[in-house]
Amino acid sequence: MLTAQFIFVMSTHMPEVKSAFLPGKGHLFVACNIMIVIAMVLAEMWLRTAAQYHKQAVVCCGFIVSYLMYFVLEPFVDGAQMTLMMPIMISLIYFDRKLLHYLGGFSILFYAAVYFGLERIVLEKPLLEFFLVECVFIVFVVMSHMVIIRAHEVRDHLEQLTKSEQELMVERAISDKLLKIDALTGLYNHKTFHEYLDSLLEQCESNGLRLQLALFDIDNFKRVNDTYGHWVGDLVLKEVAARVRGMIGLNDFAARYGGEEFAVIFTDKSFQEANAAVEELRSAISLMEHPYAGGKPITVSIGLCAYQLGNGKELLFRKTDNALYAAKHGGKNMVVTASPSPEEGTVYA
């Protein structure tokens, strides 16, 4: 604005404009411009240093600058009253309807005071011009009000879209979980178990990840179903699964592998630690009380095998299953570990 004023003054041949830079001449041209710069600098300093009242600083600066600009331009530029709309437009920066109404009402009253106290007396401006400017104020307020309403509508629409998207994400996560979780026990299902194991075995081969696989089977589970009914059998499965889920580590993975067969993958333990963990698990399950099953203990047989590089998934399962078979036929309620030797079928308790 200052550059435009300078070019205008230097390029025009109007004497009254040429005299604008002279002391005591023009419409306090230089003084108003200096005050505009001071107001802008003070507002900028406030915004950069103070932690509060930023909106008030912008509004006050806009109001002061708009009227100073008006006094600078008014003698030379038709329609200089448009600069007085600046405070009203500031409310659009914040999309604040209350601020808009305050600024609009204050601007209408303030301009009326300027007109009747200064312009009508000194400049002899007609009353019709005053009414036109006030009407423009009102039009600006109404238009700004509509813009703010529309902005709020768009915001609400975006919030609804975001909320709907979040709900879809939650539903998708729930659906994905339902596809991965066994409905009865709450453990991962057979399909998810194999997907996870395949991924971990790749990590074993490429990064040397430690991994142990445990397969365990509830002893005499068919007798429980036949004696007490399938609903009791389901309760037993739920309680055993809950105990397994509560005793494994955060980096371990438990799944329901078959009817009464479960699988646990250990990824953050040594073989000795994994062996101690499954032994603790076996003991804890054997100590559980089942009053609905005649008060008789429910036990599990467990086979455990550590993955050896290059063995592959099939050999890992064969050795673990052989260990489980040895536990079932060696007296049940026991842990049998697969031999670390490369001989596939060798196991020891």
Side-chain angles (χ1 to χ4, degrees):
M1 189 197 71
L2 294 174
T3 303
Q5 289 180 44
F6 180 79
I7 295 173
F8 175 69
V9 171
M10 299 303 295
S11 62
T12 185
H13 299 289
M14 298 170 61
E16 62 273 19
V17 176
K18 287 292 187 181
S19 63
F21 287 126
L22 300 177
K25 299 291 184 178
H27 206 72
L28 302 176
F29 186 84
V30 176
C32 286
N33 278 297
I34 292 175
M35 292 174 66
I36 288 174
V37 173
I38 292 174
M40 298 284 283
V41 170
L42 290 176
E44 186 69 20
M45 290 175 60
W46 181 273
L47 293 175
R48 289 179 180 271
T49 58
Q52 295 180 331
Y53 306 113
H54 284 188
K55 185 187 296 187
Q56 290 82 347
V58 173
V59 170
C60 291
C61 178
F63 197 85
I64 293 171
V65 169
S66 66
Y67 273 87
L68 289 175
M69 288 176 61
Y70 172 61
F71 290 134
V72 168
L73 300 176
E74 191 269 339
F76 313 113
V77 179
D78 293 333
Q81 292 89 344
M82 290 301 100
T83 60
L84 303 180
M85 307 304 157
M86 187 186 302
I88 298 176
M89 303 306 292
I90 288 175
S91 61
L92 292 178
I93 298 174
Y94 300 101
F95 292 103
D96 190 334
R97 275 184 285 190
K98 184 181 293 186
L99 178 63
L100 170 65
H101 297 155
Y102 285 147
L103 290 176
F106 184 77
S107 296
I108 291 172
L109 295 175
F110 192 84
Y111 179 72
V114 170
Y115 174 79
F116 288 106
L118 178 64
E119 293 183 339
R120 185 171 177 81
I121 298 173
V122 178
L123 302 177
E124 298 180 351
K125 284 192 174 184
L127 191 61
L128 180 59
E129 183 174 341
F130 164 73
F131 285 119
L132 287 175
V133 174
E134 295 286 36
C135 287
V136 172
F137 272 122
I138 295 173
V139 169
F140 262 76
V141 170
V142 173
M143 291 177 62
S144 299
H145 184 76
M146 294 298 104
V147 170
I148 292 174
I149 289 177
R150 181 57 181 161
H152 288 170
E153 290 175 352
V154 173
R155 182 198 62 189
D156 293 341
H157 180 65
L158 289 176
E159 288 179 352
Q160 291 177 358
L161 287 177
T162 303
K163 185 177 179 180
S164 299
E165 186 173 339
Q166 290 174 344
E167 290 175 352
L168 287 174
M169 291 177 63
V170 171
E171 291 177 0
R172 190 179 300 116
I174 293 174
S175 299
D176 188 55
K177 182 178 180 180
L178 292 175
L179 290 174
K180 293 182 177 181
I181 298 296
D182 176 68
L184 178 63
T185 62
L187 300 179
Y188 288 101
N189 58 29
H190 184 276
K191 178 177 180 293
T192 306
F193 167 77
H194 280 284
E195 292 174 353
Y196 190 70
L197 181 60
D198 289 337
S199 176
L200 288 176
L201 290 179
E202 290 180 4
Q203 294 295 320
C204 290
E205 295 293 343
S206 59
N207 301 321
L209 177 71
R210 294 185 300 181
L211 183 145
Q212 298 86 31
L213 174 63
L215 296 176
F216 58 97
D217 191 273
I218 299 178
D219 297 326
N220 305 315
F221 185 72
K222 185 176 183 302
R223 186 186 304 169
V224 174
N225 277 335
D226 294 340
T227 305
Y228 303 103
H230 288 279
W231 70 274
V232 173
D234 289 345
L235 287 176
V236 170
L237 289 172
K238 288 181 181 179
E239 292 187 352
V240 171
R243 183 56 56 93
V244 172
R245 188 166 54 245
M247 294 186 65
I248 62 173
L250 293 176
N251 295 326
D252 302 329
F253 184 94
R256 184 185 181 189
Y257 191 72
E260 68 274 10
E261 191 173 359
F262 298 87
V264 176
I265 302 173
F266 299 100
T267 60
D268 62 346
K269 295 178 174 64
S270 66
F271 184 74
Q272 291 74 20
E273 291 171 336
N275 190 18
V278 294
E279 180 59 41
E280 183 181 2
L281 184 60
R282 180 205 61 77
S283 177
I285 292 174
S286 66
L287 296 175
M288 293 171 60
E289 296 182 358
H290 306 278
Y292 44 81
K296 297 179 180 180
I298 301 296
T299 62
V300 293
S301 299
I302 303 177
L304 177 68
C305 180
Y307 181 72
Q308 302 294 321
L309 292 180
N311 279 359
K313 180 179 177 181
E314 182 180 352
L315 182 55
L316 172 65
F317 262 93
R318 190 185 311 164
K319 294 172 70 173
T320 309
D321 203 49
N322 286 341
L324 175 60
Y325 181 84
K328 296 291 286 186
H329 290 80
K332 301 179 181 179
N333 190 26
M334 61 187 303
V335 177
V336 173
T337 57
S339 171
S341 67
E343 299 176 11
E344 297 179 7
T346 305
V347 296
Y348 67 91

